[in-house]
Amino acid sequence: MFAQRYVIGNDKRIGSEAPVRARLRGQNTDRRAMDMRVSEETAHNNELTMTEERKITSTPVMEFYRDKCVLITGGTGFIGRLLIEKMLRINVRQIILLSRPKKGKTVQERCDDLFSSVVFMNLKKEFPTFTERVKLIDGDLQHPSLGLSEESIEFIVNNAQIVLHAASDVRFDQALKKAIEVNVRGTRDLLRLTERIVNLQVFIYISTAYSNCPQSVIKETFYPPPSDPQSMINLVEAMDERFEEHMNKTVNDFIHPWPNTYVYTKALTEDIVRQYGQLLPVAVVRPSIVIATNEEPIGGWTDNIYGLNGVIAGVALGIIRIMHVDDNNAADIIPADYVVNAVLAAGWQTYIERKHERPLPATQSNGELKGVAKPRTKIYNCVTGSDNPISYQKIYEYSIEVGKSCPPKKSLWIVCHNTTKSKYMYEFYKLLYHLLPAFLIDTYLRAIRRTPRIMDLYRKVHKFATVIEYFANGKWTFENENMRSLRERLSPDDQIMFPCNVKKLVWVDYFWTYIHGLRKHIANEPLENLDEAIKRHKQMRILHFFILVAYYSVCALILFYLAKAVGILLF
């Protein structure tokens, strides 16, 4: 049976995008070359197709995972479901999926929703019974001992061989108590369970490149935690409601200089992983800002509007018109499929490097006990800034240029994006570009007896902007020698099957895929309405021009009469 890589086929209108890519590269488009490229790209039409770059039956990384039993947490999340899809495709024997009931849905119902995702469409065609290789276990990281039954614990201990810990509470504004319960205590309890696994081969923890963001240079090493992790677990377990309420009010001072509870608890968690990594085959993968997939299993796929996804979607929908960001800053973004491949490659390398270093029983020599070996836990900074940097200015330039040919039909307005490095100017422009128009629109909605909603929308937008501005305006240098070494160690076939070399990522092409993916998977807009959307945006541009003329004329008149009233004007 062959292992294969999946990509999404392109649509009939893709020919119109070739000039866009050429413009972005600043190149003259050669007609014959473009025609050849368009004909190649349109061959698949508008449906999911599978391409085999090569028929590859076996690689070192594939052989490591083949017929293994893998325990995964966070499998219903963004990275988690991509990991599951890839592992099933490379023929793991079984996946133990740790999940919990949520929003009124049982574990089984959540799993059914998971596997109905477009992510698994190609897999379903090739392996119609792939779900039989997934065993569901009811567990919750927020509960002590993961909320597992004795039966579930016994099954994991006797069957699991690889543990991929992808679960975490990623909300930046999460209460400290819950963030510690899920991210810190949950990881500690998972590692305690991992210690008991009979045939453990590797444990991979997916952290974040910003876990130590108070540092300007972030190396592939462990840093002293902001507090003792166990003490923090004891603290939140002892909290009553009154203490928790007080803590929530003062949390920013408590976690300073970490900007939010997510990265703060990730820093705590890494120290717990470090401690267990003394005797367990552990590795840590630290991705930076994870965005939509580049190629597999579907190009441009994402299921969330966190971080850059939310910014670009907000700009494309005409909602976000001003951002507080230094355009010249490097945006360390990385496609999700590169992260998945890096995680799987890191698992393979960790096993190879540490399989002979597993703790052995202490032995006696000359009457003295010899201690067990304490191998070093490797950290992989999975980043792009060191090898293939891109600035926020380029991100906006590429996104807006591509967006001209595929605008969303349901946008609030056309793209009118501006940035400023000044916090004070940002507050002024926020009033001018967001709040004042929102007030006028809501006033109009009230006048026609409809529910005003634009001011509420902008409250959410500004809360989101406040959360991410620390990362948009900060500057970090990420060292990634371990990650580079891992990429170089992959065989040629593994480099095809598990592409994670960011040097080969062409940002112009990626953003074409990315913007189309956001339109389809986040805005939920079908390709069929593209012509209508383009027509609507042309009409809105004309209307936008007249509104600008009227808007600035009114502003000028107000300033004129104010100046005249205070005696500045003499005529």
Side-chain angles (χ1 to χ4, degrees):
M1 186 175 293
F2 295 110
Q4 295 146 336
R5 293 180 57 214
Y6 301 138
V7 297
I8 187 167
N10 296 298
D11 62 82
K12 294 179 181 178
R13 293 184 178 86
I14 198 167
S16 66
E17 305 303 334
V20 174
R21 299 193 197 187
R23 286 200 302 274
L24 290 174
R25 290 192 178 96
Q27 299 173 348
N28 292 323
T29 305
D30 180 86
R31 182 69 185 178
R32 286 186 62 190
M34 186 197 303
D35 288 344
M36 290 176 63
R37 182 173 185 177
V38 170
S39 65
E40 290 172 358
E41 290 179 322
T42 55
H44 299 298
N45 205 350
N46 184 32
E47 60 183 30
L48 288 176
T49 59
M50 181 183 67
T51 60
E52 300 173 1
E53 294 192 0
R54 287 177 59 188
K55 289 278 189 177
I56 298 175
T57 59
S58 178
T59 72
V61 176
M62 289 169 63
E63 287 305 315
F64 170 63
Y65 287 98
R66 193 188 304 277
D67 294 327
K68 294 294 194 308
C69 180
V70 182
L71 169 65
I72 183 170
T73 68
T76 57
F78 179 40
I79 292 295
R81 70 179 63 191
L82 292 172
L83 277 167
I84 290 175
E85 191 276 340
K86 183 89 177 194
M87 287 190 293
L88 289 170
R89 193 169 5 126
I90 60 175
N91 295 316
V92 298
R93 173 170 53 85
Q94 184 177 48
I95 290 178
I96 304 172
L97 175 56
L98 200 66
S99 188
R100 62 187 172 91
K102 186 179 181 181
K103 295 181 179 179
K105 291 187 176 182
T106 65
V107 172
Q108 184 60 56
E109 288 172 335
R110 291 190 69 198
C111 187
D112 292 341
D113 289 345
L114 170 67
F115 293 128
S116 66
S117 167
V118 67
V119 167
F120 296 94
M121 187 176 295
N122 280 318
L123 187 67
K124 201 174 295 182
K125 293 177 183 178
E126 292 300 306
F127 308 104
T129 60
F130 75 89
T131 56
E132 294 177 3
R133 288 188 281 156
V134 180
K135 179 176 176 59
L136 296 177
I137 287 186
D138 192 342
D140 190 340
L141 263 70
Q142 191 177 1
H143 293 169
S145 301
L146 310 177
L148 295 172
S149 66
E150 287 299 322
E151 180 184 358
S152 296
I153 291 173
E154 183 179 359
F155 183 87
I156 291 170
V157 167
N158 292 323
N159 291 276
Q161 296 165 282
I162 298 168
V163 181
L164 301 181
H165 184 24
S168 65
D169 191 319
V170 299
R171 283 169 289 188
F172 286 3
D173 58 350
Q174 182 59 271
L176 184 62
K177 176 178 168 56
K178 184 176 181 181
I180 289 177
E181 287 174 343
V182 174
N183 295 346
V184 186
R185 187 180 67 185
T187 302
R188 182 204 65 183
D189 291 350
L190 181 62
L191 282 161
R192 285 179 174 177
L193 175 61
T194 301
E195 279 188 309
R196 299 171 55 187
I197 292 176
V198 176
N199 295 310
L200 178 69
Q201 295 189 357
V202 69
F203 177 102
I204 302 295
Y205 172 59
I206 302 176
S207 184
T208 171
Y210 297 94
S211 55
N212 298 286
C213 55
Q215 307 285 332
S216 59
V217 177
I218 298 177
K219 302 179 180 181
E220 293 174 306
T221 187
F222 288 107
Y223 287 84
S227 304
D228 176 63
Q230 187 57 51
S231 297
M232 292 305 301
I233 292 171
N234 295 340
L235 175 66
V236 299
E237 287 180 338
M239 277 186 183
D240 57 20
E241 290 185 6
R242 184 177 178 183
F243 186 17
E244 183 181 0
E245 183 179 350
H246 172 73
M247 176 62 76
N248 290 339
K249 292 178 180 178
T250 60
V251 66
N252 290 336
D253 294 330
F254 184 82
I255 65 176
H256 184 79
W258 276 260
N260 56 64
T261 56
Y262 171 65
V263 290
Y264 175 80
T265 53
K266 282 292 190 178
L268 293 175
T269 305
E270 282 193 5
D271 193 60
I272 286 183
V273 173
R274 176 193 63 80
Q275 294 172 35
Y276 279 85
Q278 299 296 318
L279 297 176
L280 294 176
V282 171
V284 177
V285 177
R286 289 180 182 154
S288 51
I289 302 170
V290 184
I291 53 177
T293 56
N294 176 55
E295 185 177 72
E296 58 173 334
I298 297 172
W301 180 81
T302 184
D303 66 349
N304 65 76
I305 54 171
Y306 300 138
L308 186 67
N309 290 346
V311 173
I312 299 300
V315 170
L317 292 169
I319 297 171
I320 297 178
R321 300 187 183 93
I322 181 68
M323 286 289 294
H324 178 215
V325 61
D326 184 348
D327 278 352
N328 296 316
N329 271 7
D332 208 301
I333 55 177
I334 187 163
D337 47 340
Y338 276 54
V339 175
V340 167
N341 291 324
V343 167
L344 296 176
W348 162 75
Q349 176 158 289
T350 301
Y351 173 74
I352 295 299
E353 292 180 343
R354 299 184 61 165
K355 63 182 177 180
H356 299 304
E357 298 177 346
R358 295 294 305 280
L360 301 173
T363 59
Q364 279 194 328
S365 176
N366 298 326
E368 295 183 359
L369 286 175
K370 294 176 67 176
V372 296
K374 293 185 178 181
R376 175 176 174 267
T377 295
K378 269 192 176 178
I379 296 175
Y380 299 90
N381 284 344
C382 191
V383 295
T384 57
S386 301
D387 296 323
N388 194 358
I390 182 171
S391 67
Y392 283 103
Q393 181 179 359
K394 284 296 181 184
I395 288 174
Y396 297 137
E397 177 186 327
Y398 293 164
S399 300
I400 291 171
E401 186 66 29
V402 174
K404 289 177 182 177
S405 60
C406 61
K409 183 181 178 182
K410 295 178 287 189
S411 61
L412 180 67
W413 203 244
I414 65 170
V415 173
C416 305
H417 184 60
N418 302 276
T419 62
T420 177
K421 292 187 286 187
S422 168
K423 180 68 174 176
Y424 299 106
M425 291 305 297
Y426 169 68
E427 294 298 330
F428 171 72
Y429 286 131
K430 187 169 75 174
L431 177 66
L432 192 66
Y433 293 152
H434 287 178
L435 298 179
L436 185 55
F439 172 76
L440 294 174
I441 294 172
D442 276 356
T443 300
Y444 170 74
L445 290 173
R446 288 189 181 93
I448 62 174
R449 297 185 178 182
R450 292 180 60 181
T451 304
R453 59 183 184 275
I454 307 302
M455 284 296 286
D456 287 339
L457 172 64
Y458 275 110
R459 288 189 188 99
K460 295 176 182 177
V461 167
H462 295 154
K463 182 180 180 181
F464 169 74
T466 300
V467 166
I468 67 170
E469 70 176 19
Y470 174 90
F471 300 98
N473 292 286
K475 295 182 179 181
W476 292 272
T477 299
F478 298 100
E479 296 185 359
N480 65 334
E481 287 305 314
N482 288 344
M483 192 65 227
R484 288 173 179 170
S485 175
L486 171 61
R487 295 195 306 247
E488 292 170 1
R489 190 168 180 179
L490 294 176
S491 69
D493 282 350
D494 271 326
Q495 291 180 29
I496 292 172
M497 292 303 300
F498 301 90
C500 54
N501 189 349
V502 296
K503 290 182 179 180
K504 296 181 179 180
L505 185 63
V506 180
W507 286 119
V508 170
D509 291 338
Y510 172 76
F511 272 91
W512 182 90
T513 302
Y514 179 48
I515 299 304
H516 282 75
L518 288 179
R519 186 183 193 274
K520 180 176 182 179
H521 302 294
I522 296 300
N524 294 316
E525 299 217 8
L527 186 68
E528 288 72 25
N529 77 356
L530 186 56
D531 290 335
E532 294 176 35
I534 293 173
K535 181 179 178 180
R536 180 173 180 268
H537 270 251
K538 287 180 180 178
Q539 294 170 343
M540 284 198 297
R541 285 194 194 100
I542 297 171
L543 181 59
H544 177 74
F545 173 77
F546 285 107
I547 289 176
L548 281 182
V549 171
Y551 183 76
Y552 286 114
S553 297
V554 170
C555 290
L557 283 173
I558 292 173
L559 289 174
F560 173 80
Y561 285 112
L562 284 174
K564 191 173 182 180
V566 298
I568 296 177
L569 298 178
L570 301 177
F571 55 89

